Amino acid sequence: MPPLVTVLIIGAGGRGKTYSYFAVHFPERMKVVGVVDPRAFPRKDLQEIHSLDESNVFDDWRAACERERFADAVVIATPDRLHKDPAVAFAKKGYHILLEKPMAVTPEDCEEIASTCKANSVMLAVCHIMRYHPASQKIKVPVIYVQIGFWHFAHSYVRGNWRNEAESTFSLLAKSCHDIDLINYWMGDKRCLKVSSFGNLSHFTKENKPEGAASRCLACPVEETCPYSAKKIYLEPAKKKRFYWPVSVLCRDGVCDIESVTEALRNGPYGRCVYECDNDVVSHQVVNMEFEGGATASFMMAAFTYKLGVRKTTIYGTKGELSYEAGGSVEIVDFLTQEKTAHRATKPAFIPMVFMAHGSADYYLMDSFVSALAVSSVSTNKDPSLIQTGPEETLNSHLLVFAAERSRKESRVIYLET
């Protein structure tokens, strides 16, 4: 049996907690030995879930980093702008790293993370989870359309943590670096030569506020006619005792009930009118790329969709057409026979419910990362194929994202350096 992999969780929010559950469901493979979070409740929550000793519970990652290395790896799931410093510090201490996407919010910080990990011979896996899905292994040269979902966009990118570029980052990097990474991966050795992008923030502006609307949904006389109503998104599910995401985001200190949700809507950011927020990130964007050999790829991100977080991929070839919707089968139409065939990826017999989001890609990521660490701990021969989103691959795809955003802001085609 492979050796047990020990990890320190840095950032005990939704993503950090999800990754930590791999230790709960597969205790023979991974063990959480410490947690870092400045917030008391999430920190205590993970401490209890994993039965952690008080000496390995921290409110600042610097205190954990000052210690002698006491885990094989760190899982860094801090806010986007707080990725670089802990990643660099723990790499220098010899910890392997699972880093939530995006890698960082500037090209320079991404480059520093990548170079530090390589210089210290540590394994880095960035959480571009979609690359680990079995169906992603079967696809090349795409057109990708991402449907964010109308209320999801309002929750995360109008009222929520990723609404403002100065506080977080631009939406293409925050939401869709997954997708640009997939395109770059599917293109193989072909290098992207040039990129163009267009997009803007539409609808969620003060100019589009309905006549008579209030500043908060709880007191709004036209709330019933608004699809983005906070009462519809949060309060109605709470009344049915559905306190999972996104309602859970409103619950402080683990208290989830009608009273706490109502109070959050009355005074917190999620109760604001979507037309009076301080959001400035784009609500839709297209990216076009040309690669070596003349191959092209296109990407579109759209906020105003009914389906939530669905990725649609289409590939147009000389002998057929391929289409795939995340979570479904890969469908291929043969131009010669005009026959359609469906191919489903093989799945493990058991995937825990906590890893079912994103088409179970969270599970495949953790399985690959833990397997890679188990191999490296018993052998000097590492298997790089187990880590598909290492420092160099991730840096290259992030640089494409930065180039696309530069194209959008400067209204010009960006020619990439050789």
Side-chain angles (χ1 to χ4, degrees), residues 55 199 205 272 392:
S55 63
T205 63
R272 294 179 294 176
E392 195 156 326

Side-chain angles (χ1 to χ4, degrees), residues 93 284 378 399 404:
K93 295 280 286 192
H284 62 278
V378 297
L399 292 178

Side-chain angles (χ1 to χ4, degrees), residues 234-241 243 255-264:
Y234 309 108
L235 199 56
E236 289 181 8
K239 289 178 179 178
K240 299 174 183 177
K241 299 188 183 302
F243 292 107
V255 178
C256 283
D257 53 30
I258 291 293
E259 291 74 22
S260 64
V261 171
T262 302
E263 179 62 22

